[in-house]
């Protein structure tokens, strides 16, 4: 089923401050939505890794994972379900436990999670 949207909903998942210049979420959000209003093609929602569940992700088209702490088992499961449902996941390999987070997702996908 297709649904029409005015702007494409995406989630930026980052544990840093999106209003602090120089952070990964600051740059990612501004790259996706440079105007910060309806002129942008993307409707960007910033979430931290604490307390995010499937309901926070389910209507987005893509999740951009920036600088995050080690992801919880439930968040990894939600991200796996998100990708398994045909949505996009962009994982920036910067600071933090990136290798642990990607390995956990890889295990959930039974080795079928392909890197880009």
């Amino acid at each position: 089923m297709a649904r029409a949207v005015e702007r494409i909903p995406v989630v930026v998942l980052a544990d840093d401050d999106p209003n602090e210049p120089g952070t990964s979420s600051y740059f990612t959000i501004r790259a996706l939505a440079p105007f910060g209003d309806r002129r942008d093609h993307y409707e960007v929602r910033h979430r931290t890794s604490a307390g995010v569940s499937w309901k926070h992700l389910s209507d987005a088209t893509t999740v951009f994972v920036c600088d995050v702490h080690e992801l919880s088992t439930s968040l990894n499961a939600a991200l796996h379900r998100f990708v398994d449902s045909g949505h996009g996941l962009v994982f920036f390999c910067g600071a933090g436990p990136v290798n642990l987070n990607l390995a956990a997702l890889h295990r959930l996908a039974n080795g079928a999670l392909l890197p880009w």
Side-chain angles (χ1 to χ4, degrees):
M1 172 172 71
R3 71 182 166 106
V5 293
E6 188 173 325
R7 294 182 300 150
I8 301 166
V10 299
V11 172
V12 172
L13 184 62
D15 291 330
D16 55 16
D17 184 350
N19 296 312
E20 173 134 0
T23 61
S24 63
S25 57
Y26 177 88
F27 285 121
T28 303
I29 290 169
R30 280 148 187 82
L32 293 167
F35 300 108
D37 59 28
R38 296 221 174 263
R39 292 177 291 169
D40 295 322
H41 294 288
Y42 298 101
E43 174 194 329
V44 180
R45 294 183 304 232
H46 175 264
R47 299 277 184 213
T48 62
S49 62
V52 173
S53 66
W54 170 251
K55 74 175 186 170
H56 299 107
L57 308 176
S58 63
D59 69 334
T61 59
T62 306
V63 172
F64 295 85
V65 181
C66 299
D67 287 345
V68 291
H69 304 296
E70 188 170 347
L71 301 179
S72 68
T73 302
S74 61
L75 180 50
N76 273 321
L79 289 172
H80 175 259
R81 180 178 176 192
F82 186 78
V83 171
D84 203 43
S85 299
H87 298 89
L89 177 65
V90 178
F91 223 105
F92 292 109
C93 297
V98 175
N99 59 335
L100 297 174
N101 291 329
L102 287 174
L105 279 172
H106 187 70
R107 282 190 302 278
L108 281 173
N110 292 320
L113 184 67
L114 299 175
W116 60 93

